[in-house]
Amino acid sequence: MTNTNPLLTPSAVPNMAPAFDTIREEHYLPAVEAGIEEARKNIAAIKANKDAPTFENTIVALETASETLGAASGVFYNMLSANGTDGLQALSDKIGPLSANFSSDVSLDPELFARVKAVWDQRDSLSLTPEQSRMLDETYKGFVRGGALLNDADKTKLRDMNERLSTMGPAFSNNVKKSAEKFELWITDESDLSGIPDGARAVAKQMAEEKGRNDAWLFTLDFPSYLPVVQYADKRSLREKIWRAFASRAYGDEFDNSQMVLDIVGLRDARAKLLGYNDHAAYVLEQRMARTEDEVRAFLTKLKNAYKPAAEKDLKMLQDFARKAGGPDPIQPWDVAYYGEKLKQDLFKFSSEDLRPYFPLDNVLEGVFQHFTKLFNLRFVANDKYPVWHPDVTAYDVFDNDDGRFMGTFYADFFPRTGKKDGAWMTAFRDQGLYRGEVRRPVIAIVCNFTKPAKDQPSLLTFDELLTLFHEMGHAIHGMLSDVTYMSMAGTNVLWDFVELPSQVQENWAYTSETLDLFAAHYKTGEKIPGDLVKKLNDAKNFMGGWAGLRQVSFALLDMAWHTANPSTIKDTATFEDSVMKDMSLFPRLAGPQSTAFSHLFAGGYSAGYYSYKWAEVLDADTFALFEEKGLYDQKTAKAYKAEILSRGGSEHPQVLYVRFRGRDADPDALLRREGLLDPNQIHSGQVA
């Protein structure tokens, strides 16, 4: 198998990207097993080295010991998310424990740790670059946080916890996916489609026809299908039905995650305590810009105190509007998006659907590429020599126009399909850095779930989908512009509450005429997006901002509650969530709890870290303010941002990088000022963290 397994042989694809055309499900497990075997031999050689431990023979050797395993498992887990099948899900139950046990073997190995500690102990006398110093520090901390200082009995306990947790995240995500996929909203009476935009109707018709129903329209819980119903359907019962289904994913059915949540939280807490921390949040925050639970809570409380009264005002305004329009009193959660859209039309004289014809996906993507050409002088060239994992996927080579350098491989995967996780994300099949003896360029992808094309029209994005594209491309460019030596320090491998800055700051350009004029043109007439429509978009930018802000803060506080509470006192997932959310929710819970489908927390990397979205929004508001001051495409500012933030990855602490870029700490009030919740002339200074 080794000689024919494409995950174990050098890739002939450009940039050594994965050979997706030859990779099959049966290749993954043997590749992971062989990768672990190879890594064990490499680690044995490190331990057997008779020379005194050095940065090169220990830290760098350890960094590169698991290259085959990392490549194989990286492809596997990316495909589990983007192209998941029952076969891949079954494999995750085998691969997860194998990988977790190997990781435990490494972090709990006393001989290996002794060599790492020997290098770390002499760190002050070594002539290391800032990147090398940080990698040494992170390697040492990784061993300590991985249990290297535990006794043998506790090491055995930790190993068991890690193994069990390794299967729970994929299982949680699979339950959410399966629960969502089983729901179908069939409409056979065309009058029931009243209010739903023509584009959404066309896609629903096509989906029904693909299932052999020419007499119906099909809506699902994929977000591009779900949103037009809750936002536009005049028939209230349809909005309620699909809203309840969406809000009850993985709750009260055969895919119920309620017990899974409790199990994950319990294991995380037990692991943290075993390692000497008060709780899982304390364990996580040790490696964050926001160093303590108190700091996170103070940050979120400040935002909550601004958002809650604004949200209550938003809801009252919405209720008053609905009442005058002959709508329900009181309104319910399935009415918020519908009457919110109606009220926005009334106040700002435009609909979200007015924007969609100007955002055909192909044009938008080319325009986003032009945006990054103007900002960082990058060039994207489609390349069909890269095999892809699905026909919807397109591959590109990315170049630096300044010197012609190849910057990396970029994949774009845009549409929903069975087996694909919901949401949108950026991922790396290989980070930039040392690989197979050379510093190589990265292999990056963004994966989204955008509105599909219909028979008579291309994929037309909503403005929110446009923001998502800018957001995920921001992550991708962070990975693409990385210029470090070691992969563990590259691109998005930064402290978690810094990782969203490069993504969220890009969303700001999507509101500007200068950027929209690069691509926003009517898909039928080619007419540029009218200036008055862009003005209305910006006038409405903070509409229902209190409502949206409170929602995000409530999720962040829910996250902190799950990961600071004593799990033994929590008997029911829904009851616990209700107790946490009662001070922040403006409606009673009328469906399942958020937690059972909260993949960010229980199947992603955001446990005790969901606050990072708002944390990074402060940084992005402060960053974009400089571009507004100097010019949206000012090259001096862009080059400084590229040099001090994007290219450096995690090679230095983000606070150091940010101050070097901005010349000062971030303004902690930048976000609330941008959202219109503070006087724009009120100036504050001080650290975010």
Side-chain angles (χ1 to χ4, degrees):
M1 174 67 80
T2 301
N3 292 331
T4 60
N5 190 324
L7 293 167
L8 294 174
T9 54
S11 171
V13 175
N15 197 22
M16 298 182 72
F20 290 109
D21 55 337
T22 60
I23 296 171
R24 304 289 181 265
E25 286 188 4
E26 60 265 24
H27 293 139
Y28 289 114
L29 183 58
V32 169
E33 291 173 334
I36 290 174
E37 181 181 356
E38 176 189 274
R40 290 191 191 281
K41 290 178 180 178
N42 291 337
I43 290 169
I46 297 172
K47 295 192 296 180
N49 193 330
K50 300 301 183 182
D51 294 337
T54 66
F55 183 81
E56 287 294 329
N57 71 20
T58 300
I59 306 303
V60 176
L62 184 58
E63 165 89 359
T64 59
S66 305
E67 289 179 336
T68 298
L69 174 61
S73 59
V75 174
F76 170 74
Y77 281 107
N78 277 312
M79 292 302 96
L80 184 63
S81 294
N83 229 21
T85 63
D86 289 341
L88 289 180
Q89 185 61 40
L91 278 175
S92 73
D93 291 336
K94 299 177 181 178
I95 289 174
L98 275 176
S99 299
N101 274 316
F102 169 70
S103 295
S104 294
D105 288 343
V106 174
S107 60
L108 300 176
D109 188 318
E111 294 178 65
L112 188 59
F113 177 58
R115 289 189 67 92
V116 170
K117 188 175 185 300
V119 182
W120 188 76
D121 284 342
Q122 54 181 318
R123 61 194 180 282
D124 293 336
S125 63
L126 301 176
S127 297
L128 301 178
T129 66
E131 179 184 352
Q132 290 172 330
S133 294
R134 188 152 181 86
M135 189 166 85
L136 172 58
D137 195 47
E138 292 299 302
T139 302
Y140 175 77
K141 286 179 181 177
F143 272 85
V144 173
R145 288 167 58 81
L149 300 178
L150 297 177
N151 60 43
D152 288 344
D154 285 344
K155 285 181 178 180
T156 300
K157 292 179 183 177
L158 182 64
R159 181 186 297 276
D160 176 65
M161 292 174 184
N162 289 338
E163 180 178 340
R164 292 164 63 192
L165 282 167
S166 73
T167 64
M168 288 183 174
F172 182 98
S173 183
N174 190 56
N175 282 341
V176 177
K177 181 174 64 179
K178 291 286 190 181
S179 181
E181 286 176 351
K182 75 173 188 175
F183 175 83
E184 295 180 334
L185 176 62
W186 290 93
I187 295 178
T188 55
D189 185 344
E190 190 168 2
S191 66
D192 288 346
L193 298 171
S194 174
I196 298 176
D198 290 342
R201 295 188 190 194
V203 173
K205 187 69 172 175
Q206 182 171 302
M207 290 173 63
E209 290 173 353
E210 288 172 357
K211 293 206 169 190
R213 294 282 303 274
N214 296 328
D215 62 334
W217 293 261
L218 173 60
F219 293 90
T220 70
L221 297 185
D222 288 334
F223 208 71
S225 182
Y226 162 80
L227 186 60
V229 179
V230 293
Q231 190 169 10
Y232 293 104
D234 293 328
K235 190 170 183 178
R236 193 181 187 220
S237 61
L238 291 182
R239 301 199 306 269
E240 179 179 358
K241 184 175 183 179
I242 202 167
W243 180 91
R244 286 185 181 275
F246 190 86
S248 298
R249 289 168 298 157
Y251 182 74
D253 60 10
E254 65 267 39
F255 304 109
D256 195 321
N257 269 332
S258 296
Q259 186 58 47
M260 183 78 73
V261 169
L262 301 182
D263 292 344
I264 291 173
V265 168
L267 271 175
R268 286 174 175 171
D269 182 74
R271 181 177 62 180
K273 286 183 167 62
L274 185 67
L275 290 168
Y277 298 88
N278 288 334
D279 48 47
H280 180 69
Y283 170 76
V284 168
L285 292 172
E286 183 183 53
Q287 294 287 84
R288 299 292 188 265
M289 293 181 75
R291 296 166 294 269
T292 67
E293 296 167 18
D294 286 345
E295 194 164 357
V296 172
R297 289 189 186 280
F299 171 72
L300 293 174
T301 298
K302 175 183 177 179
L303 292 179
K304 177 190 147 189
N305 290 341
Y307 287 136
K308 187 175 180 181
E312 291 171 335
K313 183 178 178 182
D314 287 344
L315 186 59
K316 182 180 184 305
M317 178 175 62
L318 208 60
Q319 179 64 78
D320 291 345
F321 175 80
R323 186 184 302 113
K324 290 176 183 176
D329 188 1
I331 59 173
Q332 298 293 354
W334 47 87
D335 301 315
V336 172
Y338 178 77
Y339 284 103
E341 179 64 25
K342 298 289 188 188
L343 178 56
K344 183 168 69 174
Q345 292 176 28
D346 184 68
L347 292 175
F348 303 104
K349 310 308 178 189
F350 91 108
S351 163
S352 299
E353 284 296 303
D354 293 341
L355 295 164
R356 193 194 287 265
Y358 296 95
F359 299 146
L361 176 57
D362 288 347
N363 286 12
V364 169
L365 186 60
E366 285 302 313
V368 171
F369 290 165
Q370 290 180 51
H371 161 70
F372 285 111
T373 298
K374 289 188 67 174
L375 197 58
F376 301 125
N377 208 14
L378 297 176
R379 176 164 48 96
F380 295 77
V381 180
N383 187 346
D384 60 8
K385 292 182 180 179
Y386 290 102
V388 294
W389 57 91
H390 189 275
D392 285 347
V393 180
T394 306
Y396 301 83
D397 286 322
V398 183
F399 298 93
D400 186 332
N401 278 333
D402 286 333
D403 53 18
R405 278 189 308 150
F406 172 69
M407 300 303 294
T409 303
F410 171 69
Y411 297 98
D413 180 0
F414 288 129
F415 302 122
R417 56 178 170 266
T418 300
K420 188 177 185 180
K421 190 175 75 171
D422 64 355
W425 62 94
M426 168 269 185
T427 188
F429 289 97
R430 187 183 72 241
D431 285 309
Q432 181 264 329
L434 189 61
Y435 179 75
R436 304 302 188 200
E438 295 181 24
V439 175
R440 300 182 188 274
R441 298 312 302 169
V443 181
I444 304 292
I446 61 170
V447 187
C448 307
N449 284 276
F450 290 159
T451 301
K452 289 182 175 182
K455 287 180 180 178
D456 57 349
Q457 68 181 36
S459 170
L460 299 175
L461 303 188
T462 65
F463 185 73
D464 283 343
E465 289 173 331
L466 178 70
L467 290 179
T468 297
L469 179 56
F470 271 83
H471 180 106
E472 299 307 334
M473 284 297 299
H475 281 310
I477 296 302
H478 193 188
M480 202 71 64
L481 293 181
S482 179
D483 187 17
V484 300
T485 303
Y486 308 105
M487 286 202 294
S488 64
M489 298 287 105
T492 57
N493 293 314
V494 299
L495 296 190
W496 203 265
D497 41 12
F498 194 66
V499 76
E500 296 296 338
L501 165 60
S503 56
Q504 290 180 175
V505 74
Q506 288 301 323
E507 297 179 28
N508 292 278
W509 273 273
Y511 284 93
T512 68
S513 291
E514 189 171 350
T515 300
L516 289 172
D517 281 344
L518 295 174
F519 60 84
H522 199 285
Y523 78 103
K524 287 183 177 178
T525 67
E527 174 200 8
K528 287 280 189 180
I529 189 169
D532 67 327
L533 189 54
V534 178
K535 182 180 184 303
K536 291 174 182 178
L537 170 68
N538 279 275
D539 289 344
K541 184 176 181 180
N542 291 326
F543 175 67
M544 298 286 288
W547 176 271
L550 181 64
R551 181 176 182 271
Q552 282 295 90
V553 167
S554 70
F555 290 165
L557 286 168
L558 175 63
D559 169 30
M560 291 302 294
W562 274 121
H563 294 109
T564 56
N566 180 353
S568 66
T569 65
I570 305 173
K571 306 304 179 185
D572 178 75
T573 295
T575 301
F576 177 77
E577 180 176 313
D578 290 346
S579 69
V580 174
M581 300 290 275
K582 64 183 179 183
D583 187 43
M584 293 173 286
S585 178
L586 303 186
F587 289 107
R589 180 171 57 82
L590 298 172
Q594 167 73 17
S595 298
T596 60
F598 209 161
S599 295
H600 273 72
L601 303 195
F602 302 111
Y606 284 84
S607 62
Y610 199 79
Y611 76 91
S612 63
Y613 280 106
K614 301 307 289 186
W615 185 276
E617 277 190 68
V618 174
L619 297 172
D620 102 61
D622 190 60
T623 295
F624 192 67
L626 183 61
F627 280 96
E628 288 183 303
E629 175 188 339
K630 302 295 185 181
L632 294 182
Y633 293 98
D634 177 67
Q635 285 304 288
K636 183 179 179 181
T637 305
K639 286 178 179 178
Y641 178 67
K642 174 183 174 181
E644 304 298 350
I645 302 292
L646 298 181
S647 70
R648 303 318 307 147
S651 61
E652 294 184 74
H653 193 282
Q655 185 68 23
V656 173
L657 298 178
Y658 192 83
V659 171
R660 193 181 297 154
F661 160 66
R662 196 66 169 92
R664 58 166 174 74
D665 294 320
D667 177 356
D669 291 332
L671 173 61
L672 291 178
R673 190 177 299 112
R674 181 175 71 183
E675 294 179 326
L677 297 175
L678 278 182
D679 183 341
N681 298 313
Q682 185 178 351
I683 302 298
H684 291 267
S685 61
Q687 293 186 345
V688 174

